[in-house]
Amino acid sequence: MLLKIYLKEIKDCFRDRRTLLLTVLLPVIMMTGLTFFYEKMISDGEGESYKLAVNESFEPELAGIFTSYKNIELVHSANPAKTLQDGKVQAALILDPNFSSNIENGDKATVTIIGDSFSQKSSNLKNIVQNVLGVYEKSIFSERMKAKGTAPNLVEPITIEQKEISDQNPNANLIAMLIPLILAIAIGVGSGPAASDLFAGEKEKKTMEALLMTPVKRSTLLFSKWLTIATVGSVTGIITLLVVALEINLLTENLKKAVSFGNNVVVIIALAVLVSIIYAMFTASLLMLTSIIGKTVKESQSYSTPVMMLAMFPTMILSSIGINELSFQHFAVPILNLFSLLKELVFGIIDYEHILITITSNLVSMILLFIVGRILFLKDKWVMN
């Protein structure tokens, strides 16, 4: 009987075009948009062309320091700042009127770089110009020291070397936040409509009374409906993982370089699918409660919105935590443990103790939520409209 009810509910869910749209198409569109957004965000500007406004008196000798940057075009202007304001260039470089003579005489020369920090291209160009001028400054300093017979290493006695504790690409941390966030939102968006229809929708359409008159235990009805919501969420999660994996592998460069699983690709993918299924089951338990409490579909959706917003908090919590700083509590708290475990998997770390803690905590939470849902579902006050 349980299997028959479950198959009927699944068939009804995927027959509904709205549910099918929210389960498959909308998550795919969301994933694609977010993937390309993050790819653009971590791009270092390679392949971009820039225009830099300079004074009309900008000397060819100074222009030579930019010759290695073929993607930067120098635009001579009487008013570089105005040219930048008009949007004709991405940044402006203004030199002192006596810049060259000050350099030759060993005096201090002033350089002003004007840009727009709200523009990605302008920020990239400002960084490039600062790096170029930094190298030029060091060369001038070295020449002045040699002219005075002083070795440059006497002025700079310490050489600082910075090394990372991990050899992973720095952008891997961004993917470790991106994938769990996308996954959590997609599962919530995909299973939300099904949860609202299966309980609040039945009450709103006045079909719940007829359903309860059948010789089927309420616990069986409850479990079959919960299983349906969990299945829809799991399908959404798996589709999401596949879409993100394919897009990162085939359509991006920077994100692709940040991911390297080595020989553990199959194990990591299998664990990621398992985590998404567990999270879909946990989300189904929460959405089941909001739908039982809601008298109408609209009211149920109002209650379920905060559930989907819960995925934002782990992103903020884990954004400043290193992979080696994750501890027991990060894997014991539901929702947070999804982000923590997927962060480890993205970095290629497989810790079976953390996996066991995550699964156990979610199972305990699901059992408690299901017990609460069963208590509510057994009372006519909550199942009759």
Side-chain angles (χ1 to χ4, degrees):
M1 184 59 69
L2 172 64
L3 181 61
K4 289 182 179 179
I5 298 173
Y6 167 70
L7 293 175
K8 172 191 170 296
E9 298 289 7
I10 284 290
K11 186 177 179 181
D12 290 342
C13 279
F14 287 101
R15 182 187 297 169
D16 182 11
R17 291 183 179 179
R18 183 185 65 176
T19 304
L20 194 61
L21 177 70
L22 291 174
T23 303
V24 180
L25 186 59
L26 185 59
V28 168
I29 295 173
M30 288 172 55
M31 303 315 106
T32 303
L34 284 172
T35 301
F36 284 114
F37 169 75
Y38 279 106
E39 169 70 11
K40 182 69 176 178
M41 191 170 71
I42 66 175
S43 172
D44 56 1
E46 186 179 354
E48 294 276 4
S49 58
Y50 304 100
K51 290 185 178 181
L52 177 65
V54 296
N55 305 81
E56 287 184 337
S57 58
F58 198 75
E59 299 178 4
E61 181 184 345
L62 293 174
I65 63 177
F66 291 99
T67 52
S68 59
Y69 292 88
K70 304 297 183 183
N71 58 336
I72 297 179
E73 178 187 348
L74 299 182
V75 178
H76 295 267
S77 171
N79 191 342
K82 181 69 168 54
T83 305
L84 172 62
Q85 252 182 351
D86 294 339
K88 297 177 181 178
V89 294
Q90 286 77 49
L93 177 64
I94 302 175
L95 307 179
D96 259 351
N98 302 320
F99 180 85
S100 297
S101 59
N102 287 343
I103 295 293
E104 291 175 2
N105 297 330
D107 297 329
K108 185 177 180 181
T110 304
V111 178
T112 303
I113 304 173
I114 306 175
D116 182 7
S117 59
F118 295 102
S119 167
Q120 183 67 40
K121 289 189 71 173
S122 181
S123 298
N124 289 341
L125 181 55
K126 280 175 61 181
N127 291 333
I128 294 173
V129 173
Q130 285 176 350
N131 292 335
V132 171
L133 291 176
V135 173
Y136 182 57
E137 181 186 24
K138 285 185 177 180
S139 66
I140 294 172
F141 176 79
S142 179
E143 288 175 4
R144 287 179 178 178
M145 290 299 99
K146 288 179 181 178
K148 293 184 177 182
T150 305
N153 58 354
L154 293 177
V155 184
E156 295 181 359
I158 300 176
T159 301
I160 300 174
E161 294 184 2
Q162 295 186 19
K163 293 185 178 180
E164 288 288 336
I165 190 172
S166 172
D167 58 354
Q168 288 281 350
N169 190 304
N171 295 324
N173 190 52
L174 185 63
I175 297 182
M177 292 189 296
L178 165 70
I179 293 179
L181 180 61
I182 289 176
L183 187 63
I185 294 174
I187 289 175
V189 170
S191 56
S196 298
D197 286 338
L198 288 173
F199 292 98
E202 296 274 13
K203 287 187 280 185
E204 189 174 3
K205 292 182 288 187
K206 308 292 184 182
T207 55
M208 184 63 81
E209 291 88 342
L211 191 62
L212 295 175
M213 291 175 63
T214 59
V216 181
K217 292 181 180 180
R218 290 195 181 190
S219 299
T220 304
L221 284 173
L222 181 69
F223 185 73
S224 63
K225 289 178 179 292
W226 171 83
L227 196 59
T228 302
I229 301 169
T231 301
V232 173
S234 299
V235 170
T236 306
I238 293 171
I239 291 174
T240 299
L241 285 175
L242 289 175
V243 169
V244 171
L246 289 173
E247 287 181 345
I248 289 177
N249 189 50
L250 300 177
L251 303 178
T252 66
E253 292 184 9
N254 297 297
L255 291 178
K256 184 180 178 181
K257 292 176 183 176
V259 181
S260 179
F261 297 145
N263 298 324
N264 298 322
V265 176
V266 176
V267 178
I268 289 175
I269 292 176
L271 289 173
V273 171
L274 176 63
V275 169
S276 66
I277 292 173
I278 292 172
Y279 182 74
M281 294 166 67
F282 175 78
T283 304
S285 303
L286 287 174
L287 294 176
M288 177 184 69
L289 289 180
T290 61
S291 188
I292 291 174
I293 295 171
K295 294 181 180 180
T296 63
V297 171
K298 187 175 181 180
E299 185 179 344
S300 171
Q301 290 173 343
S302 299
Y303 295 149
S304 64
T305 300
V307 175
M308 300 179 192
M309 297 300 293
L310 288 174
M312 301 298 168
F313 294 102
T315 306
M316 294 184 285
I317 294 171
L318 295 176
S319 61
S320 58
I321 296 178
I323 193 69
N324 60 320
E325 296 174 335
L326 295 175
S327 54
F328 174 81
Q329 64 266 24
H330 294 109
F331 299 95
V333 179
I335 301 179
L336 180 62
N337 52 24
L338 164 77
F339 284 72
S340 302
L341 190 57
L342 284 177
K343 186 170 186 174
E344 283 194 336
L345 293 177
V346 168
F347 278 89
I349 299 173
I350 301 175
D351 191 317
Y352 291 102
E353 181 182 351
H354 291 166
I355 295 169
L356 183 61
I357 294 171
T358 300
I359 294 174
T360 304
S361 67
N362 279 281
L363 286 176
V364 171
S365 301
M366 280 187 282
I367 291 171
L368 293 175
L369 290 171
F370 194 84
I371 290 172
V372 174
R374 183 178 181 276
I375 292 172
L376 295 177
F377 197 69
L378 290 176
K379 296 180 181 293
D380 290 341
K381 173 186 175 182
W382 299 106
V383 294
M384 300 292 186
N385 192 357

